[in-house]
């Protein structure tokens, strides 16, 4: 487990972190989402890691463990590269919903760092689509300015699903399940 997901399932911690980053604003919810483009890095890293891991698997059980470790490391590193290339973002992003805004911060595992994007809730269309156990969240300003695609999860087995569901509910006005 990476440090970027540290506290990902703790609604109170995430809201407090968002409130510290947004003093004077009414934070309604916060969650750790990922950058949708990082999914492509994950797929590429998985393919590369799988090939590299196969070279170790002939060593038996030790090789199997080493191969799996190579797979996981390759996936994580590829996600980091894609996130960085997409605007110097971290793999995990703190998405804070306030009364008036949707604010996206880099997340270091313990707190919000640099603000990466801000959207006016009144003029941003939020489109949520299901992709397996993930939700693809498109934030599309109606004035034509650049938007952002994120991914979240509502899968019960994922620790971040509680905070993610709450943010998705506030953004889309529906109960996001499954």
């Amino acid at each position: 487990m990476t440090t970027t997901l540290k506290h990902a399932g703790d609604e109170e911690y995430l809201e407090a972190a968002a409130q510290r980053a947004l003093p004077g604003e009414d934070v309604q919810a916060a969650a750790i989402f990922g950058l949708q483009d990082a999914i492509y890095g994950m797929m590429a890293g998985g393919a590369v890691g799988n090939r590299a891991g196969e070279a170790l698997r002939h060593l038996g059980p030790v090789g199997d463990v080493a191969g799996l470790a190579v797979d996981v490391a390759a996936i994580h590193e590829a996600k980091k590269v894609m996130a960085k290339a997409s605007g110097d973002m971290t793999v995990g992003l703190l998405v804070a919903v306030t009364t008036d805004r949707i604010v996206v911060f880099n997340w270091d595992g313990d707190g919000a760092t640099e603000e990466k994007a801000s959207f006016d809730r009144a003029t941003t269309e939020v489109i949520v689509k299901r992709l397996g156990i993930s939700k693809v969240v498109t934030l599309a300003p109606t004035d034509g300015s650049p938007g952002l695609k994120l991914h979240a999860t509502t899968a019960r087995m994922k620790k971040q699903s509680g905070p993610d569901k709450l943010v998705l509910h506030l953004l889309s006005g529906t109960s996001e399940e499954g």
Side-chain angles (χ1 to χ4, degrees):
M1 186 61 51
T2 65
T3 59
T4 58
L5 293 180
K6 186 176 171 185
H7 305 295
D10 188 340
E11 289 176 27
E12 289 180 19
Y13 188 93
L14 296 175
E15 286 179 29
Q19 194 63 67
R20 284 190 299 277
L22 296 166
E25 293 193 50
D26 178 24
V27 175
Q28 297 177 338
I32 304 297
F33 284 16
L35 185 65
Q36 178 59 24
D37 286 349
I39 292 292
Y40 305 122
M42 182 178 76
M43 290 186 290
V48 169
N50 187 42
R51 294 259 187 209
E54 285 297 320
L56 300 170
R57 290 194 176 97
H58 73 282
L59 299 173
V62 171
D64 289 342
V65 171
L68 179 60
V70 168
D71 287 350
V72 170
I75 288 169
H76 183 69
E77 287 305 309
K79 283 172 64 176
K80 283 176 30 181
V81 167
M82 289 298 292
K84 190 153 187 73
S86 296
D88 201 23
M89 293 186 179
T90 53
V91 172
L93 299 166
L94 181 68
V95 177
V97 180
T98 73
T99 305
D100 300 317
R101 299 191 305 148
I102 305 160
V103 188
V104 180
F105 294 94
N106 275 344
W107 179 253
D108 69 5
D110 288 312
T113 59
E114 183 181 2
E115 182 177 314
K116 299 309 291 183
S118 177
F119 302 91
D120 184 314
R121 285 183 70 183
T123 61
T124 300
E125 182 180 10
V126 178
I127 303 158
V128 179
K129 294 186 177 179
R130 185 182 189 132
L131 178 64
I133 63 170
S134 294
K135 302 289 183 177
V136 176
V137 182
T138 303
L139 302 173
T142 56
D143 67 2
S145 60
L148 190 60
K149 276 193 176 182
L150 303 168
H151 73 265
T153 187
T154 56
R156 289 182 189 100
M157 72 272 210
K158 296 287 196 170
K159 68 180 181 178
Q160 70 264 30
S161 67
D164 284 13
K165 285 179 185 179
L166 182 56
V167 167
L168 288 167
H169 173 73
L170 288 174
L171 293 180
S172 67
T174 62
S175 177
E176 293 294 328
E177 289 298 323

